[in-house]
Amino acid sequence: MMNYLTVPRSVLLSGAFLSAFILGAAAQQAADPPAAAQAPAPAPAAGAPPPAGTAASPSLPPGSPLIGRPAGNDAAAKLAPIAPPPIPAAPDKLPTAKLKVPAGFNIEVYAAGMANARSLALGDKGTVFVGSRLVDKVYAIVNKDGKREVKVLASGLYRPNGVAFKDGTLYIAELSKISKIEKIEDNLDNPPKPTVIFDKLPKDEPHGWKFIAIGPDNKLYAPVGQPGNNVLNDDEHGLIRRMNFDGSGAEVIVRGVRHTVGFDWHPETKQLYFTDNGRDWMSEDVPEDELNRITKVGEHFGAPFCLQGNIVDPEFGWGKSCSEYTAPAGLLGPHAAALGMRFYTGNMFPKAYRNVAIIARHGSWNRSKKVGGDVVIAKLNKDGTMKSLEPFLTGFLEDNKYIGRPVDVLPMKDGSLLVSDDYNGAVYRITYGKQKTAGKS
Amino acid sequence: MRKTTTALAYALIATSVSAEPIEQRIAPCLACHGEKGQSETENTPSLGAQHAPYSLIQLFMFREKLRVVEPMNEVTKALTDDDLRLFSDFIAKMPKPEPPGENGDPARMQRGQALVQQHRCDSCHNGDLSGKENVPRIANQREDYLAKTLGEYKDNSRHGYDASMADVMAPISPEQIADLAYYIARMR
């Protein structure tokens, strides 16, 4: 029995078999469920308790973030989530000189000194709002007499990752509530405390931090992630919701979303595209993160039953088929942590960039050879699916270690692009062509 | 006595000038946390050989009141970023804590060890629970502090820097926490 099981395990893990496995072997994969990503268990030493997650000791507890992690595997044991340094890098210590952009583009530091700088939003008067996840602050990058200045707008918040701006009002999403500050750009020096507009949200930490944005339908969109690496979602998890600006009229529009930390509406079709992070500990190479597209209210995007549109989950996929769920518009790399994404509609970049999706990939931790830690360009086909994925901003990964990690992207009115980096607590600006303010070329 | 020591520590750390050698500046900390890396104070962690990136995160969280422990919030209040780095680096070079002299009760030790394996603590903390980078050394930490901390992660009264420990602790029962702390404090 054990021998029979170990053969497909190793085969499944081999890269050569991988593409065949993804394309056509769903049935075969379903024949060997939770073991798919597990190395054969070593024989226990006499008297030692049996290792967990094996036939001898069947279970990690349900919901454990470590389900699927091979026991006694040295390479897997080296992997752990990577925490950014708590103190933002000094402007002269930022890795700007090591960052690479395509020919003709320039990159410079836009602002620094914002610990754990995460999601970005743009005010009508040019203020850039910056959320954070591991500290308690929302920042504003303010232009004043031609100089940029960083202000702390709010502190004492809990995981205030999400920021959005509309008609003078700043919206802030913490772990379990959404609040607003009206007339924010008139009160940057002494802003009032945020007022809560919606707090009927679960308090789970895993995937609890939120990206928010405002749609062309004048609704505020807010997701709730799956409360663990690979767990079932109840009605309150694994979804995207929209609501009016005062928190009323809230409705869940889609489910089966594991954790989206970035979305935007296509400039022409107005369809919502969102990134979604795939599960950990299944294998080095699958599942990949997804770029998804909502075509109608009520769609289910698969999590945790179907992964990347064509793999039934080894644990939860029993009795399910990927055909029951909306397939991704494109795949964004295994464990790559695709976070912020926005469509580019500006005039500064060359024509080829018109309406492309610009995606920040925070970079993997659950993979021996890191993937991501870059900003990529997704071009779409006429039917709205992804045509290609190309590198745009690279250089954050050095000797398989991060020297920075991009989180969000934000096109500015002049057509330049901002990129946040929570590892260094900074925001960079990418421009095209000869710029008066450009840094290195 | 404890109160006096803590009050003294505030006074000393707050008034110490950065020109003083680190050994002098850190002395008030070690009055509670133990001079040789091993704490003899109730519910107060041993700091010996703790990884600098982890300590830096904790000191930062104390200073910013992201982690609320009053004496620690007080003593870190006036520290600069460089001070935090200096203290973290110094702590990392202190000797690691040792297990207690007597072996633990075999049945509890075995239960604790099984739990460590079942919950894959080694996945981030290493097989010998010595930790790495931002993941703390927990091997031979004080039992009371381990039990308290695991409980606080479970009920989310201690907010981790990120969500990892809240995620891990969700399915673990209070009885299991007691066995985990017993074993980790005594493991060899």
Side-chain angles (χ1 to χ4, degrees):
Chain A
M1 182 64 184
M2 282 308 287
N3 282 344
Y4 166 75
L5 278 176
T6 55
V7 174
R9 279 175 198 161
S10 53
V11 172
L12 285 173
L13 284 173
S14 85
F17 189 70
L18 204 61
S19 50
F21 160 54
I22 293 166
L23 290 173
Q28 179 164 359
Q29 196 267 346
D32 184 25
Q38 282 183 359
T54 64
S57 163
S59 53
L60 281 163
S64 166
L66 297 166
I67 283 171
R69 182 193 156 239
N73 181 306
D74 290 345
K78 290 200 182 92
L79 304 176
I82 299 153
I87 297 165
D92 62 331
K93 297 269 167 62
L94 288 167
T96 328
K98 293 176 173 173
L99 301 179
K100 294 178 196 74
V101 283
F105 287 88
N106 322 288
I107 184 161
E108 62 184 326
V109 176
Y110 188 72
M114 298 161 285
N116 202 239
R118 297 272 300 181
S119 304
L120 302 171
L122 180 61
D124 288 339
K125 298 178 184 170
T127 311
V128 174
F129 301 98
V130 186
S132 67
R133 174 163 81 92
L134 303 178
V135 299
D136 58 346
K137 293 177 174 52
V138 170
Y139 311 92
I141 308 170
V142 183
N143 282 302
K144 205 175 170 187
D145 310 326
K147 281 188 86 178
R148 279 189 292 269
E149 196 184 319
V150 172
K151 293 177 190 292
V152 174
L153 279 189
S155 54
L157 306 176
Y158 194 57
R159 309 219 185 277
N161 184 75
V163 283
F165 180 93
K166 181 78 181 177
D167 297 336
T169 301
L170 173 69
Y171 297 86
I172 301 171
E174 295 177 68
L175 184 85
S176 62
K177 63 184 174 200
I178 300 168
S179 46
K180 65 172 181 181
I181 307 177
E182 291 176 355
K183 299 198 179 82
I184 182 70
E185 287 186 294
D186 302 332
N187 293 292
L188 291 168
D189 286 321
N190 198 9
K193 286 235 178 278
T195 11
V196 174
I197 60 163
F198 191 81
D199 60 0
K200 290 185 271 306
L201 290 164
K203 294 192 163 60
D204 306 84
E205 287 273 345
H207 307 149
W209 58 98
K210 289 168 178 51
F211 176 90
I212 53 170
I214 287 154
D217 54 357
N218 276 330
K219 302 262 186 185
L220 176 71
Y221 283 69
V224 180
Q226 179 174 295
N229 171 35
N230 202 41
V231 294
L232 292 171
N233 291 305
D234 62 14
D235 286 352
E236 292 302 315
H237 292 88
L239 54 81
I240 300 176
R241 191 184 256 121
R242 68 179 169 201
M243 64 189 74
N244 299 321
F245 294 143
D246 60 0
S248 67
E251 58 168 337
V252 173
I253 53 163
V254 291
R255 296 188 179 274
V257 180
R258 185 174 173 278
H259 193 195
T260 177
V261 199
F263 43 82
D264 195 13
W265 287 262
H266 189 280
E268 283 167 5
T269 66
K270 308 294 178 199
Q271 288 174 327
L272 175 63
Y273 280 74
F274 67 92
T275 59
D276 197 9
N277 284 225
R279 62 162 289 192
D280 301 317
W281 294 123
M282 185 172 151
S283 78
E284 295 261 5
D285 293 330
V286 290
E288 294 199 35
D289 289 355
E290 302 170 358
L291 177 64
N292 287 303
R293 171 181 53 151
I294 300 177
T295 54
K296 57 176 188 291
V297 168
E299 280 180 301
H300 192 295
F301 286 87
F305 311 109
C306 169
L307 318 169
Q308 68 165 47
N310 55 12
I311 301 175
V312 286
D313 184 74
E315 190 183 9
F316 293 117
W318 288 91
K320 310 282 183 187
S321 158
C322 280
S323 61
E324 297 165 44
Y325 309 103
T326 304
L331 299 182
L332 302 175
H335 307 293
L339 304 184
M341 70 136 290
R342 319 259 181 175
F343 288 99
Y344 184 79
T345 56
N347 292 318
M348 183 190 282
F349 293 3
K351 261 203 174 120
Y353 288 86
R354 180 145 274 267
N355 294 356
V356 300
I358 306 180
I359 302 170
R361 302 195 302 177
H362 198 224
S364 65
W365 65 265
N366 192 220
R367 194 174 196 278
S368 298
K369 188 172 186 306
K370 292 188 171 64
V371 161
D374 56 14
V375 174
V376 292
I377 299 285
K379 291 184 177 161
L380 303 180
N381 293 309
K382 283 227 166 67
D383 67 0
T385 57
M386 192 173 92
K387 181 163 79 181
S388 62
L389 198 65
E390 302 159 14
F392 182 63
L393 168 60
T394 58
F396 287 108
L397 197 49
E398 202 174 70
D399 300 329
N400 211 28
K401 282 197 170 133
Y402 296 111
I403 56 172
R405 296 183 87 184
V407 176
D408 200 6
V409 289
L410 180 69
M412 300 292 279
K413 283 185 187 133
D414 66 358
S416 63
L417 182 82
L418 301 188
V419 179
S420 63
D421 169 1
D422 66 349
Y423 198 86
N424 292 302
V427 171
Y428 311 95
R429 176 172 179 252
I430 298 175
T431 55
Y432 182 77
K434 282 209 170 118
Q435 297 291 321
K436 271 179 274 173
T437 52
K440 38 171 264 21
S441 52
Chain B
M1 171 60 197
R2 174 87 193 284
K3 271 221 161 103
T4 327
T5 321
T6 314
L8 192 66
Y10 296 167
L12 285 171
I13 294 172
T15 54
S16 65
V17 220
S18 40
E20 283 179 19
I22 174 70
E23 288 81 1
Q24 242 168 332
R25 297 187 69 199
I26 206 166
C29 310
L30 305 187
C32 290
H33 286 282
E35 278 162 26
K36 294 183 177 117
Q38 187 134 18
S39 160
E40 312 212 339
T41 315
E42 203 180 300
N43 284 324
T44 303
S46 299
L47 301 182
Q50 192 52 273
H51 304 283
Y54 172 78
S55 302
L56 182 64
I57 288 169
Q58 300 311 311
L59 288 170
F60 172 84
M61 290 181 77
F62 285 133
R63 187 184 70 183
E64 307 294 316
K65 295 201 173 149
L66 298 170
R67 180 178 169 192
V68 181
V69 178
E70 211 181 303
M72 289 305 300
N73 300 135
E74 196 60 37
V75 296
T76 50
K77 190 159 78 174
L79 297 181
T80 64
D81 289 351
D82 283 342
D83 288 338
L84 302 186
R85 291 194 187 96
L86 193 68
F87 281 85
S88 315
D89 291 345
F90 185 86
I91 290 166
K93 292 190 197 102
M94 291 168 61
K96 65 178 189 202
E98 295 294 327
E102 293 156 41
N103 285 327
D105 166 43
R108 287 197 77 184
M109 289 297 279
Q110 203 175 9
R111 283 208 301 273
Q113 189 185 10
L115 286 164
V116 164
Q117 293 191 4
Q118 186 193 354
H119 293 283
R120 308 277 167 82
C121 304
D122 65 321
S123 172
C124 296
H125 289 275
N126 289 358
D128 59 0
L129 305 188
S130 60
K132 57 189 172 236
E133 300 284 319
N134 56 292
V135 181
R137 171 187 297 277
I138 52 173
N140 306 134
Q141 184 52 271
R142 287 180 60 90
E143 182 183 354
D144 56 2
Y145 180 74
L146 285 167
K148 173 167 110 77
T149 305
L150 291 170
E152 288 169 350
Y153 276 131
K154 184 174 170 62
D155 68 17
N156 211 17
S157 58
R158 174 167 169 184
H159 296 147
Y161 186 53
D162 65 18
S164 309
M165 281 305 292
D167 205 354
V168 170
M169 292 308 293
I172 301 180
S173 74
E175 297 73 32
Q176 289 176 325
I177 286 178
D179 284 338
L180 276 168
Y182 186 90
Y183 167 72
I184 296 168
R186 291 171 177 78
M187 65 186 286
R188 284 163 199 277

